[in-house]
Amino acid sequence: MDATAQDAFAEYVTARTPALLRLGTLLAGSPADGEELVQAALVRTYRAWPRVQASDPDRYVRQVMLNLQRNRWTRLLRREAVTDAPPDAQVPDGTAAVDTRAVLWPAVRALPARQRAVLVLRYYEGLTEAETAASLDCSVGTVKSQTAKALARLRGASGLREAFATEGIG
């Protein structure tokens, strides 16, 4: 790669790292895993930078991040043991001044991987249903059903109901 392309890549990384870290954290479920995801995606992007910079680098990096995270989810699913009962649920502390964000993100992180990815792409990244389907390599119907299931699970979380009631959110 020539010096001009290296400079362009460095500028891109400097400008887009905060947004990529937010996306990585949301996809991976923790800031540390999000940073690792972004780093791995940027390494792959660097290798392909001469052809990527002419098109849409954000879309390319986002797709690499999704693919890397999907591979991690697949490896985790192979190691998980299925049980009859779900794990013990956390009990909310019951205070009236619950920070909605502190309740929302753990609930989002508790969603299955595909549901979390659909919510992040649709509502955080602002992609359309078709763009989300293309990014996840699934049908638009799958995006719709996974979105509906994820939102239903979030609505059913008791901590969220209490937090929304405290703040007057429907």
Side-chain angles (χ1 to χ4, degrees), residues 2-38:
D2 64 357
T4 306
Q6 287 180 347
D7 291 342
F9 181 75
E11 288 176 21
Y12 173 79
V13 169
T14 302
R16 298 298 298 154
T17 294
L20 293 174
L21 286 173
R22 286 190 301 270
L23 176 61
T25 299
L26 291 171
L27 286 174
S30 74
D33 291 340
E35 287 177 18
E36 186 178 316
L37 183 62
V38 170

Short mmCIF file of all heavy atoms in Angstrom, two decimals, residues 2-38:
data_model
loop_
_atom_site.label_atom_id
_atom_site.label_comp_id
_atom_site.label_asym_id
_atom_site.label_seq_id
_atom_site.Cartn_x
_atom_site.Cartn_y
_atom_site.Cartn_z
N ASP A 2 0.55 2.22 -0.82
CA ASP A 2 1.37 3.42 -0.89
C ASP A 2 1.08 4.37 0.27
O ASP A 2 0.14 4.18 1.04
CB ASP A 2 1.17 4.13 -2.24
CG ASP A 2 -0.25 4.66 -2.44
OD1 ASP A 2 -1.09 4.42 -1.57
OD2 ASP A 2 -0.50 5.30 -3.47
N ALA A 3 1.90 5.39 0.41
CA ALA A 3 1.80 6.33 1.54
C ALA A 3 0.48 7.09 1.53
O ALA A 3 -0.09 7.37 2.60
CB ALA A 3 2.97 7.30 1.52
N THR A 4 -0.03 7.42 0.38
CA THR A 4 -1.30 8.15 0.30
C THR A 4 -2.45 7.31 0.84
O THR A 4 -3.30 7.80 1.58
CB THR A 4 -1.60 8.55 -1.17
OG1 THR A 4 -0.48 9.26 -1.70
CG2 THR A 4 -2.84 9.40 -1.27
N ALA A 5 -2.46 6.03 0.46
CA ALA A 5 -3.51 5.14 0.94
C ALA A 5 -3.38 4.93 2.44
O ALA A 5 -4.39 4.86 3.16
CB ALA A 5 -3.46 3.81 0.20
N GLN A 6 -2.15 4.81 2.94
CA GLN A 6 -1.95 4.65 4.38
C GLN A 6 -2.45 5.87 5.15
O GLN A 6 -3.07 5.74 6.20
CB GLN A 6 -0.47 4.40 4.69
CG GLN A 6 -0.01 3.02 4.31
CD GLN A 6 1.45 2.79 4.63
OE1 GLN A 6 2.20 3.72 4.91
NE2 GLN A 6 1.86 1.54 4.56
N ASP A 7 -2.19 7.07 4.60
CA ASP A 7 -2.67 8.30 5.23
C ASP A 7 -4.20 8.35 5.22
O ASP A 7 -4.83 8.75 6.21
CB ASP A 7 -2.11 9.53 4.52
CG ASP A 7 -0.61 9.70 4.75
OD1 ASP A 7 -0.08 9.09 5.72
OD2 ASP A 7 0.03 10.44 3.97
N ALA A 8 -4.80 7.94 4.11
CA ALA A 8 -6.26 7.92 4.03
C ALA A 8 -6.85 6.94 5.04
O ALA A 8 -7.86 7.24 5.69
CB ALA A 8 -6.71 7.56 2.61
N PHE A 9 -6.22 5.79 5.19
CA PHE A 9 -6.70 4.81 6.17
C PHE A 9 -6.56 5.37 7.59
O PHE A 9 -7.48 5.25 8.40
CB PHE A 9 -5.93 3.49 6.05
CG PHE A 9 -6.40 2.44 7.01
CD1 PHE A 9 -7.58 1.76 6.80
CD2 PHE A 9 -5.67 2.14 8.15
CE1 PHE A 9 -8.04 0.80 7.69
CE2 PHE A 9 -6.10 1.18 9.05
CZ PHE A 9 -7.30 0.51 8.81
N ALA A 10 -5.44 6.00 7.89
CA ALA A 10 -5.23 6.59 9.22
C ALA A 10 -6.27 7.65 9.51
O ALA A 10 -6.80 7.73 10.63
CB ALA A 10 -3.82 7.17 9.33
N GLU A 11 -6.60 8.48 8.53
CA GLU A 11 -7.64 9.51 8.71
C GLU A 11 -9.00 8.85 8.96
O GLU A 11 -9.77 9.30 9.81
CB GLU A 11 -7.71 10.40 7.47
CG GLU A 11 -6.54 11.35 7.33
CD GLU A 11 -6.61 12.15 6.05
OE1 GLU A 11 -7.72 12.28 5.46
OE2 GLU A 11 -5.56 12.66 5.63
N TYR A 12 -9.30 7.81 8.20
CA TYR A 12 -10.57 7.11 8.38
C TYR A 12 -10.68 6.54 9.79
O TYR A 12 -11.69 6.71 10.47
CB TYR A 12 -10.72 5.98 7.34
CG TYR A 12 -11.93 5.12 7.59
CD1 TYR A 12 -13.19 5.55 7.20
CD2 TYR A 12 -11.83 3.90 8.26
CE1 TYR A 12 -14.32 4.79 7.45
CE2 TYR A 12 -12.94 3.13 8.51
CZ TYR A 12 -14.18 3.58 8.10
OH TYR A 12 -15.29 2.83 8.36
N VAL A 13 -9.62 5.87 10.24
CA VAL A 13 -9.63 5.26 11.57
C VAL A 13 -9.81 6.32 12.64
O VAL A 13 -10.61 6.16 13.57
CB VAL A 13 -8.34 4.44 11.80
CG1 VAL A 13 -8.21 4.02 13.25
CG2 VAL A 13 -8.32 3.23 10.89
N THR A 14 -9.09 7.44 12.51
CA THR A 14 -9.20 8.51 13.49
C THR A 14 -10.62 9.08 13.54
O THR A 14 -11.16 9.31 14.62
CB THR A 14 -8.20 9.65 13.15
OG1 THR A 14 -6.89 9.10 13.14
CG2 THR A 14 -8.28 10.76 14.17
N ALA A 15 -11.21 9.27 12.39
CA ALA A 15 -12.55 9.87 12.33
C ALA A 15 -13.65 8.91 12.78
O ALA A 15 -14.62 9.32 13.42
CB ALA A 15 -12.84 10.35 10.90
N ARG A 16 -13.53 7.62 12.46
CA ARG A 16 -14.64 6.69 12.67
C ARG A 16 -14.51 5.80 13.90
O ARG A 16 -15.45 5.08 14.24
CB ARG A 16 -14.80 5.80 11.42
CG ARG A 16 -15.15 6.58 10.17
CD ARG A 16 -16.46 7.30 10.27
NE ARG A 16 -17.53 6.33 10.45
CZ ARG A 16 -18.68 6.55 11.04
NH1 ARG A 16 -18.96 7.72 11.53
NH2 ARG A 16 -19.58 5.60 11.16
N THR A 17 -13.37 5.82 14.59
CA THR A 17 -13.18 4.93 15.73
C THR A 17 -14.26 5.07 16.81
O THR A 17 -14.78 4.05 17.28
CB THR A 17 -11.77 5.09 16.32
OG1 THR A 17 -10.82 4.66 15.35
CG2 THR A 17 -11.60 4.28 17.59
N PRO A 18 -14.65 6.28 17.24
CA PRO A 18 -15.69 6.34 18.28
C PRO A 18 -16.99 5.64 17.87
O PRO A 18 -17.57 4.89 18.65
CB PRO A 18 -15.90 7.84 18.49
CG PRO A 18 -14.60 8.46 18.07
CD PRO A 18 -14.11 7.61 16.93
N ALA A 19 -17.44 5.86 16.65
CA ALA A 19 -18.68 5.23 16.19
C ALA A 19 -18.50 3.72 16.06
O ALA A 19 -19.40 2.95 16.42
CB ALA A 19 -19.11 5.82 14.84
N LEU A 20 -17.34 3.29 15.59
CA LEU A 20 -17.09 1.86 15.46
C LEU A 20 -17.02 1.18 16.83
O LEU A 20 -17.50 0.06 17.00
CB LEU A 20 -15.80 1.60 14.68
CG LEU A 20 -15.83 2.01 13.20
CD1 LEU A 20 -14.45 1.85 12.58
CD2 LEU A 20 -16.87 1.22 12.43
N LEU A 21 -16.45 1.87 17.80
CA LEU A 21 -16.39 1.31 19.15
C LEU A 21 -17.79 1.17 19.75
O LEU A 21 -18.08 0.19 20.44
CB LEU A 21 -15.51 2.17 20.06
CG LEU A 21 -14.01 2.05 19.81
CD1 LEU A 21 -13.25 3.08 20.64
CD2 LEU A 21 -13.52 0.65 20.13
N ARG A 22 -18.66 2.15 19.50
CA ARG A 22 -20.04 2.04 20.00
C ARG A 22 -20.73 0.83 19.37
O ARG A 22 -21.37 0.03 20.05
CB ARG A 22 -20.82 3.32 19.73
CG ARG A 22 -20.45 4.47 20.62
CD ARG A 22 -21.40 5.64 20.48
NE ARG A 22 -21.46 6.17 19.13
CZ ARG A 22 -20.67 7.14 18.64
NH1 ARG A 22 -19.75 7.68 19.41
NH2 ARG A 22 -20.81 7.56 17.40
N LEU A 23 -20.58 0.69 18.05
CA LEU A 23 -21.19 -0.44 17.36
C LEU A 23 -20.60 -1.76 17.86
O LEU A 23 -21.33 -2.71 18.14
CB LEU A 23 -20.99 -0.32 15.85
CG LEU A 23 -21.49 -1.49 15.00
CD1 LEU A 23 -23.00 -1.67 15.17
CD2 LEU A 23 -21.13 -1.28 13.55
N GLY A 24 -19.29 -1.81 18.01
CA GLY A 24 -18.63 -3.02 18.49
C GLY A 24 -19.10 -3.41 19.88
O GLY A 24 -19.33 -4.58 20.16
N THR A 25 -19.24 -2.42 20.76
CA THR A 25 -19.70 -2.68 22.12
C THR A 25 -21.12 -3.23 22.11
O THR A 25 -21.44 -4.17 22.84
CB THR A 25 -19.63 -1.41 22.98
OG1 THR A 25 -18.26 -0.98 23.03
CG2 THR A 25 -20.14 -1.65 24.38
N LEU A 26 -21.97 -2.66 21.27
CA LEU A 26 -23.35 -3.13 21.20
C LEU A 26 -23.44 -4.54 20.62
O LEU A 26 -24.22 -5.37 21.10
CB LEU A 26 -24.20 -2.17 20.38
CG LEU A 26 -24.43 -0.80 21.02
CD1 LEU A 26 -25.08 0.15 20.02
CD2 LEU A 26 -25.26 -0.92 22.26
N LEU A 27 -22.65 -4.82 19.61
CA LEU A 27 -22.69 -6.15 19.01
C LEU A 27 -22.08 -7.21 19.93
O LEU A 27 -22.61 -8.31 20.05
CB LEU A 27 -21.94 -6.15 17.67
CG LEU A 27 -22.63 -5.48 16.50
CD1 LEU A 27 -21.70 -5.44 15.30
CD2 LEU A 27 -23.92 -6.17 16.15
N ALA A 28 -20.97 -6.85 20.57
CA ALA A 28 -20.25 -7.84 21.37
C ALA A 28 -20.79 -7.94 22.79
O ALA A 28 -20.60 -8.95 23.46
CB ALA A 28 -18.76 -7.51 21.41
N GLY A 29 -21.41 -6.89 23.29
CA GLY A 29 -22.00 -6.95 24.63
C GLY A 29 -21.15 -6.36 25.73
O GLY A 29 -21.63 -6.20 26.84
N SER A 30 -19.89 -6.00 25.45
CA SER A 30 -19.06 -5.36 26.47
C SER A 30 -18.04 -4.47 25.77
O SER A 30 -17.66 -4.73 24.63
CB SER A 30 -18.34 -6.40 27.33
OG SER A 30 -17.27 -6.98 26.61
N PRO A 31 -17.58 -3.43 26.47
CA PRO A 31 -16.60 -2.52 25.86
C PRO A 31 -15.30 -3.23 25.46
O PRO A 31 -14.75 -2.97 24.39
CB PRO A 31 -16.34 -1.47 26.94
CG PRO A 31 -17.57 -1.47 27.77
CD PRO A 31 -18.05 -2.90 27.76
N ALA A 32 -14.82 -4.13 26.29
CA ALA A 32 -13.57 -4.82 25.98
C ALA A 32 -13.71 -5.69 24.74
O ALA A 32 -12.85 -5.67 23.84
CB ALA A 32 -13.12 -5.66 27.17
N ASP A 33 -14.81 -6.45 24.67
CA ASP A 33 -15.03 -7.29 23.49
C ASP A 33 -15.30 -6.44 22.25
O ASP A 33 -14.94 -6.81 21.14
CB ASP A 33 -16.21 -8.24 23.73
CG ASP A 33 -15.89 -9.32 24.75
OD1 ASP A 33 -14.68 -9.59 24.99
OD2 ASP A 33 -16.84 -9.89 25.32
N GLY A 34 -15.95 -5.29 22.46
CA GLY A 34 -16.20 -4.36 21.35
C GLY A 34 -14.91 -3.81 20.78
O GLY A 34 -14.75 -3.71 19.56
N GLU A 35 -13.96 -3.45 21.66
CA GLU A 35 -12.66 -2.96 21.19
C GLU A 35 -11.93 -4.03 20.40
O GLU A 35 -11.33 -3.76 19.36
CB GLU A 35 -11.80 -2.52 22.38
CG GLU A 35 -12.24 -1.24 23.01
CD GLU A 35 -11.41 -0.87 24.24
OE1 GLU A 35 -10.31 -1.42 24.40
OE2 GLU A 35 -11.87 -0.02 25.01
N GLU A 36 -11.98 -5.25 20.90
CA GLU A 36 -11.32 -6.36 20.21
C GLU A 36 -11.94 -6.59 18.83
O GLU A 36 -11.24 -6.82 17.84
CB GLU A 36 -11.45 -7.63 21.05
CG GLU A 36 -10.70 -8.81 20.52
CD GLU A 36 -10.83 -10.02 21.42
OE1 GLU A 36 -10.73 -9.85 22.66
OE2 GLU A 36 -11.05 -11.11 20.88
N LEU A 37 -13.26 -6.48 18.76
CA LEU A 37 -13.97 -6.65 17.50
C LEU A 37 -13.57 -5.57 16.50
O LEU A 37 -13.31 -5.84 15.33
CB LEU A 37 -15.49 -6.64 17.76
CG LEU A 37 -16.40 -6.87 16.57
CD1 LEU A 37 -16.18 -8.26 15.98
CD2 LEU A 37 -17.86 -6.72 17.02
N VAL A 38 -13.51 -4.32 16.97
CA VAL A 38 -13.13 -3.20 16.10
C VAL A 38 -11.70 -3.39 15.61
O VAL A 38 -11.40 -3.19 14.42
CB VAL A 38 -13.30 -1.85 16.82
CG1 VAL A 38 -12.70 -0.72 16.02
CG2 VAL A 38 -14.78 -1.58 17.07
#
